[in-house]
Every structure is written in structure tokens, then in C-alpha cells.
Amino acid sequence: MRILLLNGPNLNLLGTRRPEVYGPMTLTELEAQFAAWAADLAVSTVAFQSNHEGALIDRIHEARADVDAMVFNPGAFTHTSYALHDAIEAVEIPTVEVHISNVEEREEWRRRSVIAPAAVHRIYGRGTDGYRWALRHLVGRASSPAERIPYGPDSEQFFELRRGGTRLAVLIHGGFWRHTWAFDTLDLNAVDLSRRGWSVASLEYRRVGNGGGWPVTRADVLTATNAAAEAVAADSIVLIGHSAGGQLALEVASELGGETIAVSMGGVNDMVLAVEQRLGDGAAIDYLGGADPAPACPTRHPPPGPVVIAHGTDDDRVPFAYAERYVESNPARLLATQGGDHFRFLDPDDPMWTGIVEALEST
């Protein structure tokens, strides 16, 4: 697989142009880092940057002959260039639109993308690391195609389904319930489970900043889970959540009841503690919107079925105390990894993930 890294106007000034917004990495450094990320995923890359719309269009046309997918930061052309939209649509090459800054929380004109309807996914607000997430999404999409199924009228109410057996894994991404993080973070986990014969639904849901928050987000996850279970005629359901998704997995498993299995990976398992500690710069407070945290607290409302609490002892995003608080007061299988950090769960080859899969497959 070969992926084109395409950067538009003014991105040649990376590292010097407003580094407080776009970061200190230069374009040359970004292209080298992109190639290294791609090599880790066993794919190759080629890079191109131009400040001229016509040159970008020409390169997209040429891409039909030499690449399988594209990662594209169109710069300010994002908001105006229907010609670039048409070029992407015409060549039919899967393209992820990437923006370094959080364009959805900047000037109003930056929030409009005419490119997005032609792209397969859009990533913003994750810094230059957004390019790495785009790579992961394209590799996952190529190695295990998924069907996108809406479960509500909002553009964020959908899940990507990989059909397998009647045992359904529902993946719930984290990101402290904020809209800059999306379903793509668990793409490679979905591919891994799909290869093992599971049906896998990767959920998207409304988040803080795009119509979400408690209890709307919980309702989205519950509705999506039921829709995915119906789509594959599931005879068993495992909810697997990472970070804030761990809180949602436990909460929705309580709603579903029965023998639904819930797995929390580096999860925010105690919302009362999260509010007290202002975890994630007040992320739980923002999610709850001033509501009492107790009704949304998995520690106080545990699901009736089996629970797996997986956590790394060196997690600096959601401290290990959130795992300890849960297992102190509720029955659960604790998978503690000495020295494990918050993001190792997202690597399907890492023992922090494979240990979870082994636990599930032996259940």
C-alpha cells in the first residue's frame, strides 16, 4: 500500500508560522515523521506540497497511477475549493482530510469544509499527530473494509460495522468526550477483532462541542449498540471502551443488563473522583454540564454482567486509581500492567490489548 501525503497552501511555513497554533515541526520534519509512521504500518509514502490550487489538482489526478490512498491538509482551500473536492471525488481514491488546529473552535469561516463530503474521514485538532491517525484509519480501512450505518439523523450518529459471527464487539472510543477525538482511534483494534471472527461495531456518537454531553452521549451509545446487535443478529455483546469510552461501556452495560460484558481500558471508572480532581482539565465537568456525577458513575452503578477493568500503572491521562476505585467496591477482573501507559491499548500487537482479547475469548 502506498499513501500520498498532500499539503496545501502555507504549510511550507510549518515551524515558523504561528507555532503556538500549528506546532514547532517543520514540513520537512513532518514528511519524515509521516514516512516513519507509515513504515511502522508496513506501508510506503510519497509527499507533495503546493501553494497553488491547480498544482494540487494535477497531483491528485496523477495519484491514480501511483497511490492507494491520500492524507490531505488542504489549508485554506478547505473552505473554498470545490475544484479540489471534485478532483478527490473524480479519482475515487480514499482520502482523509486533516487539520492540525481545532478548526471547529476557531473563526466561523474555518469551520466550513467543502472538501469533507469527498473525503472518507476528517481529523482536526490533534496537532501534527493527526496525520498519524489518518494513516491508521486508511490502513485499517484497506485491510478490513467496513460498512457505515447511521442510527440517528445527526451526522455523528453512525457506526462502522465489520460483519463476522454472532458475537458482537462494540468499540467505544475515548478522548474525554470531546469532539476532536473520534471512532478512528480504535480502527486497528476493530481490524484485529474482525480477523478473529467477531462482528465489530466502531461507534461514533455526539460529543461535547457537537451536541453531546450527559445524558445525550450515553443515549447515543445505547441506541447504536442496540442497532448494531440487530444488524448482526448478535447472541452476545461485549462493550469495549477506551478512556472516556470505558465509562460509557460500563454505563451502557448497566442499561443493557443481562450477561453483557463490559471492558474498560484506561477508563474513567469513577465520575465523582473525576469531577473532584478536574480530570482532563475539567473534562468530566464539561461532559456532565453541571449535573450530579453520581448517576453517571460506574463505580456506583455497576453492570450486572462480567466486567474487565484493564489499566496501566503508569497511565498519566487517567491514573491507575480509577481502576483501583472500581475493583475495591465492585466485582471485576482486573488486568493491571506494570508501567503500562494510556495509549498502548490502541496497538493490536501490544500485550495490553492482546491480554484483553485472550480474556474475552476464554469467557
Side-chain angles (χ1 to χ4, degrees):
M1 183 177 186
R2 194 172 195 223
I3 297 178
L4 169 63
L5 171 60
L6 195 60
N7 280 296
N10 298 312
L11 286 155
N12 56 304
L13 300 179
L14 280 176
T16 58
R17 178 192 175 213
R18 300 191 66 185
E20 73 280 5
V21 175
Y22 301 106
M25 186 178 287
T26 67
L27 179 63
T28 299
E29 292 168 340
L30 173 60
E31 290 174 347
Q33 181 64 78
F34 188 81
W37 285 329
D40 288 341
L41 295 169
V43 299
S44 63
T45 65
V46 60
F48 181 80
Q49 186 276 331
S50 178
N51 296 318
H52 305 284
E53 183 180 37
L56 291 166
I57 292 170
D58 287 342
R59 185 64 185 93
I60 291 170
H61 290 176
E62 292 167 6
R64 287 177 295 183
D66 66 350
V67 303
D68 304 292
M70 298 187 291
V71 174
F72 186 20
N73 185 339
F77 286 142
T78 300
H79 321 296
T80 60
S81 182
Y82 287 101
L84 284 168
H85 166 282
D86 287 352
I88 296 167
E89 198 172 62
V91 298
E92 299 182 328
I93 297 173
T95 302
V96 175
E97 177 190 336
V98 173
H99 297 282
I100 295 169
S101 69
N102 186 352
V103 291
E104 293 296 323
E105 294 183 6
R106 296 182 65 189
E107 302 94 327
E108 183 67 33
W109 61 270
R110 292 187 191 272
R111 303 176 190 180
R112 177 174 181 264
S113 172
V114 301
I115 305 296
V120 297
H121 189 39
R122 185 173 186 243
I123 292 173
Y124 56 86
R126 305 186 201 175
T128 50
D129 208 42
Y131 290 87
R132 180 171 70 93
W133 292 109
L135 268 170
R136 286 168 55 99
H137 180 68
L138 289 168
V139 169
R141 177 187 174 88
S143 58
S144 178
E147 174 187 1
R148 181 167 292 196
I149 299 177
Y151 63 87
D154 192 272
S155 62
E156 300 297 306
Q157 291 177 302
F158 67 86
F159 55 87
E160 293 214 331
L161 181 64
R162 291 171 168 89
R163 296 180 184 270
T166 56
R167 194 173 196 194
L168 173 67
V170 175
L171 300 188
I172 309 167
H173 71 83
F176 283 138
W177 307 279
R178 291 173 174 143
H179 63 91
T180 49
W181 296 93
F183 74 96
D184 63 90
T185 57
L186 289 169
D187 275 341
L188 300 188
N189 304 78
V191 170
D192 181 61
L193 287 171
S194 178
R195 287 174 174 167
R196 296 171 185 267
W198 294 61
S199 286
V200 187
S202 299
L203 304 194
E204 195 52 275
Y205 51 86
R206 289 172 289 179
R207 287 134 11 243
V208 175
N210 67 356
W214 195 83
V216 170
T217 297
R218 178 188 66 182
D220 274 3
V221 174
L222 178 60
T223 301
T225 299
N226 284 326
E230 182 178 353
V232 300
D235 56 23
S236 64
I237 300 173
V238 178
L239 296 165
I240 305 174
H242 177 243
S243 194
Q247 180 267 337
L248 290 166
L250 293 167
E251 192 174 19
V252 170
S254 293
E255 294 275 346
L256 291 172
E259 289 301 306
T260 302
I261 300 173
V263 179
S264 174
M265 306 186 300
V268 187
N269 307 318
D270 192 311
M271 293 295 281
V272 174
L273 182 62
V275 168
E276 290 173 355
Q277 295 185 338
R278 294 189 60 84
L279 183 71
D281 295 325
I285 296 170
D286 294 339
Y287 172 64
L288 292 165
D292 179 1
C297 186
T299 303
R300 302 192 180 194
H301 307 281
V307 172
V308 176
I309 301 295
H311 223 104
T313 59
D314 286 354
D315 193 324
D316 62 354
R317 299 298 180 98
V318 181
F320 187 65
Y322 285 81
E324 294 176 310
R325 284 283 285 259
Y326 189 92
V327 300
E328 283 170 1
S329 55
N330 298 289
R333 180 175 180 178
L334 176 62
L335 299 179
T337 301
Q338 293 299 315
D341 69 25
H342 194 62
F343 293 102
R344 280 177 52 188
F345 291 110
L346 308 184
D347 178 358
D349 295 321
D350 192 283
M352 289 183 73
W353 168 252
T354 58
I356 291 169
V357 175
E358 289 166 5
L360 292 174
E361 293 189 332
S362 65
T363 301

